[in-house]
Amino acid sequence: MDNDTSVFLLLEFSTIRELQAIYIAIFLILYLMTLIGNVLIISAVAFDSRLHTPMYFFLMNLALQDIGSVSLIVPKSAISSIISYSGCVAQVFLFVFFVNCDISLLTVMAYDRFVAICNPLRYEMIMNRKACIKMLGSVWIASFLNAVLNTIGTFTTHFCSNMINQFFCDIPQLLKLACSDLYLIETGVVIFNFILTIGCFAFLIISYIQIFIAVSKIPSVQGRKKVFSTCFPHLTVFSLFLFTSSFAYLKTPSDTPSHFDFAITVMYSIVPPMLNPLIYSLRNKDFKIALSKLFALRTFISIGKN
């Protein structure tokens, strides 16, 4: 076994060339779906003034984080199974940063919906432009500090091997390679992050319980269906991410790569960014109108050039 940790060897999708090509094609399709969906969100919000509201402001930033997280791991894993030590450090730092931003933004968006539905008369005063910018700034700063803490905790230890049983530099797999007790520092950080994530999830649940109580009093059946159709998918994706990532980070990594570990990692690293555009925007009437106007504008421009 090559123990030169100046580079790391990532898990290949398959040793059989044909299967490897199929896996890479599937990953790239998922990546393109994620990229297209999130780019549509950013474009629609940027060009339609009617979407310049707190909800879509946070949604646009969520789309940016989702593009960052999948672009960080999918193209690299499809191109090469070798990553440098510095590249691995950067991948861990940025992945933790993007994921923490996602969790924090989903929590802030739940609070935004809570204020809009349960306290509509004070919504504009509470969720004003200055408050939204402060919230976003807090998300970035907290996520940056958490990413620094996780990266330092992971790479202060020495590694006995350079073979990572995952398709990107995932913290649980890196800690399995540790040959000193310093990995316990990062283990403590992971547990602390898990507690914070549970706190965000609890806040989200409480917010939605309050929303459900308020919505149940609405006489309009259509209005209740609209809120429920948004809240339940939100909870589903957040729960999917929470339980799969918790399982991956808190369980003892296996000595040999398994399809189950591979699937769990895909479920928390790639699937949520792909589903977010569908849940938060593509099913929204206002967003569909904004998209139709955007495509009409581009068609008009292209015809004008011809």
Side-chain angles (χ1 to χ4, degrees):
M1 180 180 292
D2 184 7
N3 292 328
D4 178 17
T5 54
S6 61
V7 295
F8 288 99
L9 305 179
L10 301 174
L11 178 68
E12 293 185 348
F13 293 117
S14 175
T15 55
I16 303 173
R17 185 174 296 275
E18 290 77 10
L19 287 178
Q20 189 176 35
I22 293 173
Y23 280 124
I24 291 175
I26 293 172
F27 260 55
L28 289 178
I29 289 171
L30 294 177
Y31 174 64
L32 287 175
M33 290 172 60
T34 305
L35 197 64
I36 292 170
N38 285 288
V39 167
L40 286 176
I41 290 177
I42 296 169
S43 302
V45 174
F47 286 102
D48 195 325
S49 59
R50 294 187 309 165
L51 300 184
H52 293 175
T53 62
M55 182 181 74
Y56 288 105
F57 171 72
F58 293 126
L59 182 60
M60 183 174 68
N61 282 277
L62 180 68
L64 287 170
Q65 310 304 329
D66 285 341
I67 289 174
S69 64
V70 294
S71 298
L72 181 68
I73 58 178
V74 175
K76 174 59 183 174
S77 61
I79 293 172
S80 173
S81 60
I82 300 175
I83 187 170
S84 65
Y85 184 90
S86 58
C88 193
V89 172
Q91 199 172 61
V92 167
F93 172 80
L94 290 173
F95 183 72
V96 173
F97 173 76
F98 288 134
V99 168
N100 273 270
C101 281
D102 263 24
I103 295 171
S104 301
L105 283 169
L106 290 174
T107 307
V108 170
M109 289 168 66
Y111 174 72
D112 172 74
R113 292 299 86 201
F114 165 76
V115 176
I117 295 172
C118 299
N119 204 350
L121 297 179
R122 299 185 60 201
Y123 178 74
E124 292 186 3
M125 183 179 68
I126 296 173
M127 300 300 295
N128 57 66
R129 182 182 180 86
K130 187 176 181 181
C132 291
I133 292 174
K134 283 184 178 180
M135 288 181 187
L136 182 62
S138 299
V139 166
W140 285 348
I141 293 171
S143 299
F144 176 83
L145 294 176
N146 194 23
V148 170
L149 189 62
N150 275 274
T151 306
I152 293 174
T154 301
F155 290 96
T156 49
T157 187
H158 297 288
F159 300 109
C160 295
S161 173
N162 66 343
M163 299 185 68
I164 302 174
N165 291 331
Q166 198 51 267
F167 59 92
F168 70 101
C169 288
D170 201 16
I171 289 177
Q173 294 297 331
L174 284 167
L175 295 183
K176 194 191 75 168
L177 306 179
C179 49
S180 70
D181 290 338
L182 291 174
Y183 79 93
L184 294 174
I185 297 174
E186 176 57 19
T187 302
V189 173
V190 169
I191 294 173
F192 175 70
N193 282 321
F194 174 72
I195 294 171
L196 289 179
T197 304
I198 289 293
C200 290
F201 186 66
F203 178 85
L204 186 143
I205 291 292
I206 293 171
S207 298
Y208 278 147
I209 288 175
Q210 296 296 320
I211 290 173
F212 292 152
I213 292 173
V215 168
S216 64
K217 300 175 183 178
I218 298 176
S220 170
V221 176
Q222 191 66 27
R224 289 200 298 270
K225 285 183 178 180
K226 183 178 180 181
V227 174
F228 289 147
S229 66
T230 302
C231 294
F232 279 120
H234 186 175
L235 284 171
T236 301
V237 174
F238 200 108
S239 301
L240 174 69
F241 170 80
L242 175 64
F243 292 119
T244 54
S245 61
S246 298
F247 183 83
Y249 274 69
L250 298 180
K251 83 176 186 70
T252 303
S254 57
D255 293 329
T256 56
S258 68
H259 294 295
F260 181 71
D261 290 337
F262 183 84
I264 287 291
T265 305
V266 170
M267 292 298 285
Y268 76 79
S269 63
I270 297 177
V271 173
M274 183 184 67
L275 293 181
N276 281 339
L278 179 64
I279 289 173
Y280 296 110
S281 57
L282 299 182
R283 298 166 66 248
N284 183 287
K285 182 178 179 182
D286 292 335
F287 189 83
K288 288 179 180 178
I289 294 173
L291 274 182
S292 63
K293 287 184 177 180
L294 180 62
F295 286 131
L297 177 63
R298 289 184 176 179
T299 304
F300 177 76
I301 292 173
S302 62
I303 292 174
K305 287 181 179 180
N306 294 330

